[in-house]
Amino acid sequence: MPSQVIVNADDFGLSAHTNAVILHAFQAGLISSATAMANMPAFAAACVLAQQPALKGRIGLHFNLTYGRPLSQAILAEARFCAPHGEFELKLKRRTLRLTRRERLAVEQELEAQWNRCLEHGVMPSHLDSHQHVHNIWPIGEIVARFARKQGVPVRLARNLGQNIGPLKKTFKALLNRRLRQLSGATADYVCTPLDLKAGLAPKQGVLEIVAHPSALGGHDFGDAYLATGESLKSLIDQRLAGLPRVGYTCLAAQPSALAAQT
């Protein structure tokens, strides 16, 4: 069993409803971390909620290159990132290994703009991950990891537990995660979804992040986008990871990942 678990809810700030569910999940002790989308309509409201004791210091940046309007200007001119009407429309293939210099600078500027919007709203992000896992695209991952090191915060690894990860994908993820660790300096050791946890894939050591998208089931119970309708995320985590402390990413900020330190 892992030594610690981070239960992170993505998409904070996406909508008022998402904000309400994430707040409730924090208050119920289900989740221990969340990441906010700085260019979404309910972001400012999410930052107000982030000042509550259960959330304070546990909100990261959910870097977004796929949905809504960017916060910077240069990326608007990049056809592989934005549509002519001024919204994100990412056209990079997942196997992309290079960006042009101009694209790279535009991504860096957008990342900085989203980070700064968090600071302007009183939230110092605890860590970095990305909407629809865009930092699993190699050159974007390098940008995000370098930026994370500069800011002194951890970055999410690519999902590395799962029954649907074949040999080629497993090799790619291992190489990418090695690079993310090398550049960022701090990560969890494993990343999985609630479905992976249900399949019995929890690691035997290290720090595990569970990527969650909680939904309300009524009362103090919650489902998740990865699970069947009506299935309880709370019951799943309580059963599979009974007794494990749920922590935020700030516990990793000053130290390398546990497994990386052993190699």
Side-chain angles (χ1 to χ4, degrees), residues 38 61 63 65 71-72 105-120 125 128 143 147 150-151:
L61 173 61
F63 182 42
L65 291 174
L71 299 181
S72 60
L105 290 173
V107 171
E108 290 170 355
Q109 289 173 23
E110 180 61 22
L111 176 54
E112 187 164 3
Q114 292 185 24
W115 178 273
N116 286 340
R117 188 154 194 249
C118 292
L119 301 183
E120 290 162 6
L128 274 161
I143 290 168
F147 187 84
K150 179 181 174 183
Q151 303 301 332

Side-chain angles (χ1 to χ4, degrees), residues 16-249:
H17 176 73
T18 300
N19 286 357
V21 172
I22 288 176
L23 173 63
H24 188 194
F26 266 115
Q27 293 171 335
L30 172 66
I31 63 173
S32 57
S33 176
T35 38
M37 302 175 76
N39 69 328
M40 288 290 103
F43 172 75
C47 291
V48 173
L49 297 176
Q51 304 309 317
Q52 296 197 20
L55 285 69
K56 197 167 183 64
R58 293 175 178 265
I59 306 300
L61 173 61
H62 198 51
F63 182 42
N64 181 14
L65 291 174
T66 63
Y67 187 46
R69 301 183 70 86
L71 299 181
S72 60
Q73 290 298 309
I75 203 163
L76 290 168
E78 301 305 322
R80 292 205 292 176
F81 288 88
C82 287
H85 59 269
E87 294 195 353
F88 284 124
E89 189 176 306
L90 190 67
K91 296 176 183 173
L92 290 182
K93 294 184 171 152
R94 288 281 161 173
R95 62 178 179 269
T96 299
L97 296 177
R98 293 178 65 92
L99 299 178
T100 67
R101 183 176 182 277
R102 203 173 77 169
E103 287 173 335
R104 189 172 65 252
L105 290 173
V107 171
E108 290 170 355
Q109 289 173 23
E110 180 61 22
L111 176 54
E112 187 164 3
Q114 292 185 24
W115 178 273
N116 286 340
R117 188 154 194 249
C118 292
L119 301 183
E120 290 162 6
H121 283 76
V123 174
M124 171 62 193
S126 59
H127 67 291
L128 274 161
D129 58 33
S130 62
H131 191 50
Q132 298 181 333
H133 312 293
V134 294
H135 79 291
N136 291 181
I137 300 172
W138 191 286
I140 294 176
E142 290 189 329
I143 290 168
V144 169
R146 286 192 176 101
F147 187 84
R149 180 181 282 275
K150 179 181 174 183
Q151 303 301 332
V153 299
V155 66
R156 173 188 286 168
L157 293 181
R159 172 175 164 259
N160 53 4
L161 296 174
Q163 293 178 326
N164 63 340
I165 302 176
L168 289 178
K169 188 180 283 190
K170 186 174 182 180
T171 299
F172 174 81
K173 284 175 175 283
L175 292 172
L176 174 62
N177 284 344
R178 181 187 300 173
R179 186 64 171 153
L180 293 176
R181 283 193 182 101
Q182 178 187 55
L183 292 175
S184 69
T187 69
D189 300 299
Y190 297 98
V191 175
C192 77
T193 69
L195 201 57
D196 301 322
L197 186 64
K198 182 180 177 182
L201 299 178
K204 295 181 179 178
Q205 59 179 319
V207 179
L208 169 67
E209 180 189 354
I210 301 171
V211 179
H213 296 81
S215 57
L217 289 183
H220 295 292
D221 204 0
F222 299 84
D224 190 87
Y226 287 103
L227 300 176
T229 302
E231 191 171 1
S232 173
L233 175 63
K234 181 180 184 303
S235 296
L236 174 64
I237 294 176
D238 288 348
Q239 290 167 9
R240 298 286 182 173
L241 300 173
L244 275 185
R246 298 179 197 178
V247 300
Y249 260 100

